[in-house]
Amino acid sequence: KEPQTIAKAAGGDFHKEIEHYCQTGKDVLSPTVRAGKHFLPVIEKDLGKGWAFSEYAFKGHEIAGIPFEGKIDLVNLSGYTLDNEGDKVIEEPGTIEIIDWKSTSDIAQYAKAGTALLKTVQMPAYGKLAADFAASIGLAVAKVRLSYGYFQKGKRAAEKRTAIFSLETVRRRWLDVEATVGQMKIVARMPDARDVTPNMNACSAYN
């Protein structure tokens, strides 16, 4: 593991704070997190016992032969969601939700639109794994809602960004990621970086 940093420690505390609230409903939230309390589900009250899983751990999976494991902040199989205003909304049948909690210095500048979550590696991968888990317990999944809950550090502001995608679309994105990982394995074996074909379109990707 990489050495612990102040930022990583703060991120871990932030997630523990949310997990405790979602599991117990006890409000010991910091001002930063309390700004988004309205869209944080108390699992048993809002989603139903046994139909949502906070900090859902997965392991034993692979992407293109590379081990893939981690934790999903919230897997919601209840058929309900809390929207950005905190209102409880009934989902279309066969819809599950994956939520990841994010802290940021500026929501307006850095938060992704809900539709952009499909382009990440993390969220469609989580969606695919959660859909497989749902199928293993007898739930028919047709759509996956991908959601980021953003909390702005140093300011009492929070926002939920979310969008729904067909399970087929999520699975296609998983295949795209798998293909990229396969290319990464090839590049990693090259003895000289000059032998790697450059992608000049990526030079400004993080400006």
Side-chain angles (χ1 to χ4, degrees):
K1 292 184 178 181
E2 295 180 356
Q4 181 72 294
T5 64
I6 293 175
K8 286 182 179 179
D13 292 342
F14 158 84
H15 280 81
K16 289 177 182 177
E17 192 179 339
I18 294 174
E19 180 186 12
H20 178 75
Y21 176 75
C22 290
Q23 291 183 342
T24 68
K26 296 179 181 178
D27 183 355
V28 289
L29 301 173
S30 64
T32 296
V33 175
R34 188 171 289 113
K37 177 184 173 181
H38 54 285
F39 59 68
L40 294 178
V42 178
I43 290 175
E44 288 198 24
K45 176 175 72 71
D46 296 320
L47 305 178
K49 186 176 181 180
W51 293 106
F53 305 86
S54 181
E55 295 294 315
Y56 173 76
F58 62 90
K59 58 183 179 179
H61 299 275
E62 294 183 347
I63 300 181
I66 301 297
F68 179 55
E69 61 183 53
K71 288 183 179 180
I72 304 174
D73 289 348
L74 190 69
V75 176
N76 176 10
L77 310 180
S78 69
Y80 299 92
T81 186
L82 297 182
D83 66 15
N84 189 49
E85 286 69 44
D87 294 327
K88 191 171 182 178
V89 178
I90 300 175
E91 297 277 36
E92 291 186 23
T95 303
I96 65 173
E97 181 179 25
I98 308 303
I99 308 178
D100 197 75
W101 311 118
K102 299 289 186 185
S103 60
T104 179
S105 59
D106 190 328
I107 290 175
Q109 183 175 357
Y110 296 117
K112 295 180 182 294
T115 53
L117 301 190
L118 184 70
K119 297 179 182 179
T120 67
V121 172
Q122 173 195 32
M123 294 302 282
Y126 286 177
K128 189 263 187 188
L129 293 177
D132 290 346
F133 168 69
S136 74
I137 61 173
L139 295 180
V141 178
K143 296 181 179 181
V144 180
R145 178 184 291 279
L146 304 180
S147 302
Y148 273 177
Y150 281 103
F151 301 83
Q152 187 163 321
K153 294 176 286 187
K155 184 179 179 181
R156 297 185 181 184
E159 191 170 328
K160 184 177 182 179
R161 301 285 181 92
T162 186
I164 295 178
F165 305 92
S166 70
L167 179 57
E168 180 183 356
T169 298
V170 169
R171 291 192 185 281
R172 282 201 304 267
R173 176 59 182 148
W174 170 278
L175 293 176
D176 290 342
V177 172
E178 196 168 42
T180 299
V181 174
Q183 292 174 334
M184 291 168 68
K185 290 168 65 177
I186 294 171
V187 169
R189 294 189 183 103
M190 291 186 177
D192 192 325
R194 290 171 294 185
D195 295 333
V196 180
T197 303
N199 176 10
M200 306 305 292
N201 294 325
C203 292
S204 61
Y206 299 98
N207 285 353

